[in-house]
Amino acid sequence: EFDKKEAETAVIKEDIEDIKEDSEETENTFDKNPAMSSPIEREKLETICAKSILPEEKTEITEEIKETEEKTAVKTEIKTETDEEIEEIKTDLADAIEKYDVREIFDYFDIGLFIKKDGSYGLSEYRQPARDITYSDLGIDEEKLMENVSKISGNADFRKSSLTGLSKIEYIGGIADFRHSNFKPDMNLPKIDGKIIFYEDQTLFQGLMIKLRTFIKRLFKK
């Protein structure tokens, strides 16, 4: 009898894992369709909990349900706050975005811009507007935003960037972070004084090889 009970519990645990995976997919769908949310998954889980299982297993399942709901609630709250912030920025920069006033846009995000002798732009650094907000979220064409930039004095963080190339950029004075971007190690890169990062767990050897490859390609390009 006990072995049969254990077998039933094992099957229920498998069901729980399947539903948790479905719940994650539902949370992703929620970003696009607010009508979809976790109560549907809760109903499924409660149905499983109603089955004849050991008390300690039922407690564990209940805790998993609560944890899933809490995570969903936090994600929903963060998304709501981010959406509100995006709308606020769009309002503040409405004129600048319409006219593509590059200086005003970068000033708003505390990124310094200076004009070089050749008329191209230099930036103090480069990054997305905020951790959870990209230029694309604001309706800003990033290619157009960067089309006249030839120098980045400090760090250049291209994570979550929609850029597909570096246009006129000839020099980056700090670290260049290309994780989660459209850039690949074999692309033509400008002179970069700092570390070049392409991978999450990038080793020192990988970093050195990327630097060497970039140097050689630039050498032959000349």
Side-chain angles (χ1 to χ4, degrees):
E1 178 64 30
F2 184 73
D3 289 342
K4 182 180 179 182
K5 202 71 173 180
E6 281 190 334
E8 290 177 355
T9 301
V11 171
I12 290 169
K13 281 185 174 182
E14 289 180 5
D15 289 343
I16 289 294
E17 290 305 315
D18 290 341
I19 289 172
K20 285 174 73 178
E21 290 178 6
D22 290 342
S23 180
E24 289 177 3
E25 293 178 4
T26 300
E27 289 170 18
N28 292 334
T29 305
F30 179 73
D31 290 341
K32 298 178 181 178
N33 182 5
M36 297 291 292
S37 64
S38 60
I40 296 173
E41 307 306 325
R42 177 181 175 83
E43 185 178 345
K44 291 180 183 177
L45 289 171
E46 285 178 342
T47 300
I48 288 177
C49 283
K51 293 182 180 180
S52 177
I53 57 177
L54 296 172
E56 59 269 24
E57 295 293 342
K58 186 172 183 179
T59 300
E60 181 181 340
I61 291 170
T62 302
E63 290 175 353
E64 288 184 8
I65 292 172
K66 288 178 66 177
E67 184 180 348
T68 301
E69 286 185 335
E70 287 170 1
K71 287 180 179 178
T72 301
V74 170
K75 287 181 179 179
T76 303
E77 184 179 350
I78 291 173
K79 183 181 183 304
T80 301
E81 291 176 354
T82 301
D83 288 344
E84 290 174 354
E85 188 176 355
I86 288 173
E87 291 307 312
E88 182 181 343
I89 295 172
K90 281 183 174 180
T91 300
D92 293 343
L93 288 176
D95 290 339
I97 293 173
E98 184 180 353
K99 299 174 183 176
Y100 266 89
D101 188 332
V102 177
R103 180 182 291 278
E104 187 173 344
I105 291 172
F106 281 127
D107 280 350
Y108 187 91
F109 300 117
D110 295 321
I111 296 176
L113 180 147
F114 55 92
I115 301 176
K116 297 174 61 179
K117 291 181 179 179
D118 62 2
S120 64
Y121 300 146
L123 300 177
S124 59
E125 61 175 315
Y126 187 72
R127 52 180 164 73
Q128 295 299 303
R131 180 178 177 180
D132 297 313
I133 300 175
T134 65
Y135 289 108
S136 296
D137 291 334
L138 302 173
I140 297 174
D141 183 340
E142 205 170 347
E143 298 283 357
K144 191 172 180 179
L145 185 69
M146 294 290 287
E147 66 182 358
N148 199 37
V149 174
S150 63
K151 177 179 180 179
I152 300 174
S153 299
N155 296 333
D157 188 346
F158 295 104
R159 286 177 295 179
K160 298 183 180 179
S161 170
S162 63
L163 291 171
T164 56
L166 293 177
S167 190
K168 290 184 177 180
I169 298 177
E170 300 172 348
Y171 173 77
I172 296 174
I175 297 170
D177 193 338
F178 296 103
R179 290 174 295 177
H180 308 295
S181 73
N182 296 315
F183 296 95
K184 305 296 179 186
D186 59 352
M187 294 176 70
N188 289 324
L189 300 175
K191 183 178 187 300
I192 301 172
D193 283 349
K195 187 177 179 180
I196 304 174
I197 307 173
F198 273 98
Y199 311 110
E200 286 295 339
D201 300 316
Q202 184 171 298
T203 63
L204 177 61
F205 177 74
Q206 285 176 316
L208 290 173
M209 290 303 295
I210 292 170
K211 275 282 229 183
L212 180 61
R213 186 188 301 118
T214 301
F215 174 76
I216 292 173
K217 291 186 79 170
R218 289 185 64 256
L219 192 65
F220 280 99
K221 189 178 178 181
K222 293 178 180 180

